Amino acid sequence: GCVLVVSVIEQLAQWHNSTVKAAMERLCNYIPGKYQIICRMLCCIDREMNADVVCHSLKLCKQDPGQPLCHLYPPPKREKHSPGLFCALAHAGQKHQIKSFTAFSSVCAFPLLANLCEKIKYVIRNKLPFEDFDGDKFSTFPTLRGYHWRGRDCNDKNTTMYPGRRPDNWDVKSDSNCNGIWGVDPKDGIPYEEKFCKGADSQGVVLLGDSAGAHFHIPPEWMTVTQMSAKSFANLPMAFTDELDWPQFSEITGFLNSTIGGWTDSLYLRLRRRNRCNHRDLQNISQNGGSSGNLLYLIKSLARNQLLDNPAIVIYATIGNDVCNGNRDTLAHMTTPKEMLSNVVRALRYLDSRLPNGSHVILTGLVDGRFLWDNLHDRYHPLGQLNRDVTYSQLYSFLDCLQVSPCSGWLTPNETLRNLTSERALQLSNVLKEIARAEKFANFDIFYMDFPLRQTAEEWHRMGGEPWQLIEPVDGFHPSQIAAALGTSVTWQKALHEWPQVLGKENPFNDQIEAIFKDQGGH
């Protein structure tokens, strides 16, 4: 984090031909109010020192005994008065008499951020909306696991009113399922919900996933000084309180027009267009770092009542973290096929005890992550575009040295290791495929599909795009907004041709519903 911030400050000074102090003030003024205290901690930066030197001098980066010295930028040239990084560190420390800013490593120590941090800790721990007054697991607040993640509650003081339930007495007097359809048609006295939604195969969509499903994204304009302005950081509070995830634009549960590039297309939006009665019936139960193992805890935040609620289509998609970790001996820390079988079957048994009868589960295979290195390693990262000095290969090596790589097995120049990681991913996908073939459950049928990376890349190529544009530019690891939208199209076409029963029938009353309830259709 320090290296990133210092890099941006030094590049701002270069781009605007200003002092480092002026650049730091510029950056701090870009950042919304209470977050400015973080950047103001970096008060002793010398433009002649690269970010690695500064951050080691501030003791925000350190070298543990027996471990390599991690650096993003090439070490200073070995000249007579500055022989390498080690001496540059000592020189910087003496020059500025810099003290250790250990408190910086815990931003929650700052009084202005302490309350917000406590909220975020609660949300991360429980994966439930922080603001949920009636305790039905739905909220009227967007972030902190609110309606960006689950359909928006229409009455947060009534536990019997929430998205996805079957209508209470056909919603004659109130909108119990929050789909905007309620009341009685004065022409014939028939409740609108009964007239338009009875027998319409209404169903929700639930994602059980990881950071790809939650749609992890760090805006590149946060670190691209040639594009940077106050507008660049306007979305920082929202991003921070959504864990740097953007589920409202995601492949499975996206419902808002994308503000991070590309466009939004999602399984939820397509199900809603197919049947307007499905409005707001979505749940994105994903987390950064989600795997088949920790999903067993995460799944308990599912909001579905077998007796009162509509069936659901559940997408189980932990596409990488069972083979991805930041350990040096990465292969030893990957999920084994036996562990995968146990984890997934346990999750499915839990779903069988919670999902209403007539639900569907789709198991998604793991991605072949060799695509990442093949298409990014020699390109410049946003931090390296100004001076052409940081490639993705350098970024991956830096993260791997710090042992915080999102995937040591794929983000590596070691081709053998990349191949072995993909081999394990294929083995785990085959486990999922066999589960879909052999296992039977009382309340849902089960299907398998490969992660549609190849088809997505082919479609993007036909549209004139480049493969690297399908990958998040800052982290160089997650699917981009374009990849998410195109992936939806591929998944939908497969379902239409191979499992039409999963999607339900098209509601012939969609136009009438929109005409009557157009003012109540907001998300």
Side-chain angles (χ1 to χ4, degrees):
C2 175
V3 169
L4 186 154
V5 173
V6 173
S7 297
V8 169
I9 291 171
E10 292 182 337
Q11 290 184 25
L12 273 173
Q14 177 185 347
W15 181 249
H16 293 281
N17 196 25
S18 71
T19 64
V20 168
K21 182 178 180 181
M24 186 163 58
E25 287 298 319
R26 183 189 297 272
L27 176 63
C28 289
N29 289 331
Y30 287 162
I31 293 174
K34 62 185 177 184
Y35 297 86
Q36 291 183 2
I37 193 168
I38 301 172
C39 73
R40 294 190 190 279
M41 290 298 294
L42 296 167
C43 59
C44 304
I45 300 175
D46 188 324
R47 189 168 172 177
E48 297 176 0
M49 296 155 44
N50 72 32
D52 295 312
V53 175
V54 171
C55 294
H56 278 275
S57 301
L58 289 170
K59 305 290 177 65
L60 297 176
C61 296
K62 59 177 180 157
Q63 182 185 14
D64 290 333
Q67 298 294 326
L69 183 67
C70 302
H71 56 90
L72 179 61
Y73 296 91
K77 293 179 180 179
R78 290 183 172 275
E79 298 173 353
K80 184 180 296 183
H81 300 294
S82 182
L85 183 54
F86 290 98
C87 290
L89 297 181
H91 174 69
Q94 294 165 2
K95 181 177 178 181
H96 297 288
Q97 296 181 339
I98 296 170
K99 297 179 181 179
S100 171
F101 286 96
T102 54
F104 183 88
S105 63
S106 178
V107 295
C108 295
F110 299 125
L112 289 173
L113 296 179
N115 185 44
L116 178 60
C117 284
E118 284 305 310
K119 291 182 180 181
I120 292 174
K121 286 177 183 177
Y122 170 88
V123 166
I124 290 175
R125 186 167 57 247
N126 297 286
K127 298 297 184 281
L128 291 171
F130 180 80
E131 193 170 284
D132 176 19
F133 297 110
D134 57 13
D136 60 7
K137 300 183 180 179
F138 294 91
S139 177
T140 57
F141 190 75
T143 62
L144 293 169
R145 291 277 165 167
Y147 69 75
H148 282 172
W149 299 81
R150 302 165 185 254
R152 184 173 182 169
D153 203 345
C154 49
N155 188 334
D156 207 20
K157 296 180 180 178
N158 187 334
T159 189
T160 67
M161 298 178 69
Y162 55 86
R165 68 159 293 169
R166 295 191 179 100
D168 180 20
N169 192 30
W170 292 115
D171 283 358
V172 170
K173 295 184 178 180
S174 62
D175 186 13
S176 67
N177 57 16
C178 301
N179 68 358
I181 303 169
W182 65 284
V184 176
D185 189 338
K187 296 177 183 176
D188 53 24
I190 300 174
Y192 286 116
E193 182 84 44
E194 181 180 8
K195 176 179 285 190
F196 296 143
C197 301
K198 184 178 182 180
D201 293 342
S202 297
Q203 58 185 343
V205 59
V206 177
L207 173 66
L208 300 174
D210 51 22
S211 52
H215 204 28
F216 185 87
H217 167 79
I218 299 175
E221 58 269 23
W222 287 4
M223 57 189 69
T224 309
V225 298
T226 56
Q227 304 171 15
M228 195 174 290
S229 68
K231 289 182 180 179
S232 303
F233 295 93
N235 55 14
L236 189 147
M238 181 184 71
F240 188 43
T241 50
D242 265 338
E243 305 160 50
L244 291 178
D245 295 321
W246 307 71
Q248 68 272 31
F249 308 140
S250 64
E251 178 176 347
I252 304 300
T253 64
F255 60 88
L256 294 178
N257 291 331
S258 172
T259 60
I260 57 174
W263 64 98
T264 302
D265 190 6
S266 72
L267 181 59
Y268 162 74
L269 283 177
R270 291 188 177 226
L271 285 170
R272 184 188 182 277
R273 283 197 295 268
R274 192 172 181 83
N275 179 7
R276 172 60 177 73
C277 301
N278 293 329
H279 180 62
R280 288 194 191 175
D281 195 356
L282 64 100
Q283 296 181 57
N284 191 316
I285 304 176
S286 302
Q287 71 175 12
N288 299 334
S291 66
S292 67
N294 56 37
L295 206 61
L296 293 171
Y297 174 79
L298 182 66
I299 199 173
K300 294 177 181 177
S301 65
L302 172 70
R304 217 63 179 181
N305 185 304
Q306 281 189 320
L307 299 178
L308 298 179
D309 297 349
N310 286 318
I313 300 174
V314 178
I315 310 296
Y316 184 104
T318 55
I319 65 170
N321 288 317
D322 284 283
V323 297
C324 284
N325 59 74
N327 294 290
R328 293 276 163 79
D329 53 343
T330 181
L331 293 171
H333 290 81
M334 293 179 183
T335 302
T336 66
K338 184 178 179 180
E339 291 168 337
M340 189 75 168
L341 176 63
S342 174
N343 291 340
V344 176
V345 170
R346 284 173 62 191
L348 293 173
R349 286 173 181 162
Y350 181 86
L351 289 175
D352 204 29
S353 70
R354 294 294 187 274
L355 292 177
N357 190 262
S359 295
H360 312 279
V361 174
I362 300 174
L363 303 177
T364 304
L366 279 70
V367 70
D368 184 348
R370 289 176 292 192
F371 185 87
L372 302 169
W373 179 269
D374 291 347
N375 290 289
L376 280 185
H377 75 276
D378 56 353
R379 297 188 61 83
Y380 288 108
H381 183 268
L383 275 181
Q385 288 173 6
L386 181 64
N387 296 310
R388 302 175 72 83
D389 57 353
V390 179
T391 63
Y392 283 95
S393 177
Q394 288 170 257
L395 174 71
Y396 295 155
S397 295
F398 179 53
L399 297 177
D400 190 54
C401 179
L402 294 171
Q403 299 182 45
V404 295
S405 171
C407 197
S408 295
W410 276 324
L411 308 183
T412 173
N414 186 331
E415 183 179 7
T416 300
L417 184 54
R418 298 199 303 270
N419 291 338
L420 287 172
T421 304
S422 288
E423 185 180 310
R424 175 61 60 86
L426 180 60
Q427 291 170 357
L428 300 185
S429 295
N430 287 334
V431 169
L432 296 173
K433 191 180 298 185
E434 180 59 21
I435 290 173
R437 187 195 68 80
E439 298 287 339
K440 305 296 179 188
F441 296 90
N443 290 305
F444 56 82
D445 48 14
I446 185 168
F447 306 90
Y448 170 84
M449 68 173 291
D450 290 322
F451 185 82
L453 177 60
R454 179 181 57 80
Q455 300 94 318
T456 300
E458 289 173 354
E459 179 62 25
W460 184 231
H461 179 71
R462 281 194 289 271
M463 295 171 67
E466 296 289 337
W468 58 268
Q469 294 169 313
L470 299 176
I471 308 168
E472 274 293 316
V474 173
D475 62 64
F477 180 62
H478 293 92
S480 68
Q481 184 65 35
I482 293 171
L486 290 176
T488 296
S489 178
V490 173
T491 301
W492 184 263
Q493 291 304 317
K494 180 178 178 66
L496 273 180
H497 289 109
E498 298 183 23
W499 326 308
Q501 73 276 24
V502 170
L503 304 179
K505 55 195 175 189
E506 199 150 350
N507 192 329
F509 300 109
N510 283 336
D511 291 342
Q512 289 178 256
I513 296 171
E514 288 293 349
I516 297 172
F517 297 101
K518 61 183 178 181
D519 295 330
Q520 301 182 46
H523 283 95

